């Protein structure tokens, strides 16, 4: 009887040892993506909100307490975190519900009536609120490696904002009230992907909603393809195109350019680049209208 107990206990130990090795192997399969860090295209340009006499943003600020959120803040990071947390609390995530109109004011007005929305709407509202206080922002669409063949769940939408005092782009996720920070410095989406793989111990997720392990495990597959609009101005339908294309997708070196999303949605208004210089050009370097 005792021998049978010892044998069963050893079998259990072996099972958990194999499980640990297997999970360790899964973690080791996370790879930092590679991009072109040198090249710069002269054919790519972005338009960002100048926030000068913008009636739409003035209306947003009059209807919602955007200005009060940044009162007495000491840095751009503080401003972003306050606005991010406020946006996160305006509704509960509902991946199946869309607003009647996809602008920030309409979304917030509907949220006041009790409606809940997708990650897309968090990205739109966060970008508009940040643009309203003079922090140039853009909605960032993320896609998984298998975005072409997956039937669902292959995309997530967040926001990137340019911090003037740090002179860099920073990733924020309104759905999860999350900002990744590496060694005390907020980071962009590509830096985030790399930090998950190479500097996990030094990585921090500033969030009132979700923990570091849970969030990084969830977000990691989405950090593969990165897509932003060329024209990120607020309150206008007259959007600028480049070669008839609406957006720029950052594609890892060696990866294919996806031409369809989730089997049935064509990706046909997008230019592609491997260049971090193209994708993360500072707003001060762009050509204004």
């Amino acid at each position: 009887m005792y021998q049978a107990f010892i044998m069963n206990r050893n079998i259990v130990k072996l099972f958990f040892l194999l499980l640990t090795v297997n999970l360790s192997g899964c973690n080791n399969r996370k790879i930092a993506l590679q991009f072109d860090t040198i090249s710069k295209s002269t054919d790519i340009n972005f338009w960002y909100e100048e926030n000068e006499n913008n009636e739409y943003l003035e209306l947003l600020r009059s209807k919602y307490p955007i200005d009060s959120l940044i009162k007495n803040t000491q840095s751009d990071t503080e401003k972003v975190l306050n606005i991010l947390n406020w946006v996160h609390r305006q509704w509960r995530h509902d991946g199946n519900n869309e607003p009647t109109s996809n602008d920030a004011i309409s979304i917030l007005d509907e949220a006041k009536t009790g409606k809940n929305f997708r990650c897309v709407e968090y990205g739109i509202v966060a970008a508009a609120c940040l643009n309203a206080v003079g922090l140039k922002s853009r909605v960032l669409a993320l896609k998984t490696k298998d975005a072409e063949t997956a039937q669902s769940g292959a995309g997530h939408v967040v926001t990137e904002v340019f911090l003037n005092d740090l002179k860099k782009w920073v990733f924020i996720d309104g759905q999860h009230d999350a900002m990744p920070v590496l060694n005390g410095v907020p980071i962009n989406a590509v830096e985030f992907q790399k930090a998950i793989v190479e500097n996990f111990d030094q990585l921090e997720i500033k969030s009132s909603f979700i923990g570091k392990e849970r969030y990084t495990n969830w977000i990691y597959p989405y950090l593969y393809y990165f897509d932003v609009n060329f024209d990120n101005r607020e309150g206008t339908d007259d959007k600028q195109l480049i070669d008839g294309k609406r957006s720029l997708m950052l594609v890892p070196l060696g990866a294919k350019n996806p031409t369809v999303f989730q089997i049935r949605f064509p990706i046909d208004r997008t230019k592609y680049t491997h260049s971090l210089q193209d994708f993360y050009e500072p707003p001060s370097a762009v050509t204004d209208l």
Side-chain angles (χ1 to χ4, degrees):
M1 187 75 173
Y2 177 75
Q3 288 180 334
F5 170 77
I6 293 296
M7 183 177 297
N8 288 337
R9 187 174 67 174
N10 288 337
I11 290 173
V12 171
K13 283 184 177 179
L14 179 60
F15 170 77
F16 280 107
L17 177 61
L18 292 173
L19 179 62
T20 301
V21 171
N22 186 52
L23 291 176
S24 175
C26 289
N27 291 334
N28 290 336
R29 284 198 290 271
K30 289 182 178 177
I31 299 173
L33 302 176
Q34 300 299 312
F35 300 92
D36 180 352
T37 60
I38 299 174
S39 302
K40 177 71 182 77
S41 173
T42 58
D43 299 327
I44 291 176
N45 186 47
F46 292 98
W47 290 266
Y48 293 104
E49 181 56 55
E50 292 302 315
N51 200 17
E52 296 178 356
N53 302 316
N54 186 313
E55 293 182 2
Y56 181 85
L57 291 180
E58 289 177 2
L59 178 60
L60 174 63
R61 291 167 64 187
S62 69
K63 295 188 69 172
Y64 293 97
I66 311 303
D67 291 336
S68 66
L69 296 172
I70 64 170
K71 187 177 181 180
N72 300 323
T73 54
Q74 302 299 312
S75 68
D76 288 343
T77 300
E78 285 185 66
K79 294 176 183 178
V80 172
L81 287 172
N82 287 357
I83 290 174
L84 173 65
N85 179 259
W86 181 82
V87 171
H88 169 74
R89 291 185 287 106
Q90 297 314 295
W91 68 86
R92 292 182 179 273
H93 175 256
D94 182 342
N96 298 313
N97 197 33
E98 299 182 28
T100 55
S101 182
N102 64 349
D103 70 282
I105 294 175
S106 298
I107 294 166
L108 288 169
D109 287 350
E110 289 191 57
K112 284 173 63 176
T113 69
K115 292 185 179 180
N116 298 312
F117 300 113
R118 308 165 299 170
C119 59
V120 180
E121 285 68 52
Y122 284 109
I124 292 171
V125 173
C129 292
L130 291 164
N131 278 319
V133 300
L135 292 173
K136 291 179 170 56
S137 302
R138 60 192 192 179
V139 177
L140 174 65
L142 309 173
K143 295 178 180 63
T144 61
K145 185 177 182 179
D146 64 346
E148 288 191 309
T149 57
Q151 292 186 348
S152 62
H156 181 53
V157 175
V158 295
T159 309
E160 281 192 321
V161 53
F162 191 82
L163 303 188
N164 298 315
D165 53 6
L166 296 181
K167 295 181 172 56
K168 74 186 306 292
W169 285 102
V170 169
F171 171 110
I172 58 172
D173 185 341
Q175 178 183 327
H176 294 93
D177 186 28
M179 173 194 280
V181 174
L182 181 64
N183 295 320
V185 180
I187 52 180
N188 64 41
V190 172
E191 292 170 332
F192 186 22
Q193 196 276 340
K194 183 179 176 68
I196 291 174
V197 178
E198 297 183 351
N199 303 101
F200 190 78
D201 290 343
Q202 292 76 44
L203 179 65
E204 176 188 0
I205 304 299
K206 290 190 176 295
S207 175
S208 64
F209 177 73
I210 193 168
K212 173 177 158 181
E213 297 249 357
R214 181 182 169 196
Y215 183 62
T216 53
N217 285 334
W218 182 84
I219 194 70
Y220 176 81
Y222 294 107
L223 298 170
Y224 195 85
Y225 293 112
F226 310 84
D227 193 342
V228 293
N229 285 342
F230 290 119
D231 193 337
N232 300 276
R233 295 173 300 153
E234 301 285 353
T236 177
D237 293 326
D238 183 24
K239 297 293 188 180
Q240 297 291 313
L241 305 177
I242 296 180
D243 299 329
K245 307 296 185 181
R246 177 182 59 83
S247 65
L248 179 68
M249 184 181 294
L250 180 64
V251 178
L253 290 171
K256 68 168 298 187
N257 295 341
T259 58
V260 65
F261 179 65
Q262 293 182 169
I263 302 173
R264 58 196 183 279
F265 302 109
I267 302 175
D268 53 10
R269 301 193 68 193
T270 297
K271 291 177 72 72
Y272 303 93
T273 185
H274 297 299
S275 170
L276 294 178
Q277 298 283 350
D278 289 344
F279 202 76
Y280 283 113
E281 184 175 48
S284 59
V286 306
T287 302
D288 296 328
L289 289 173

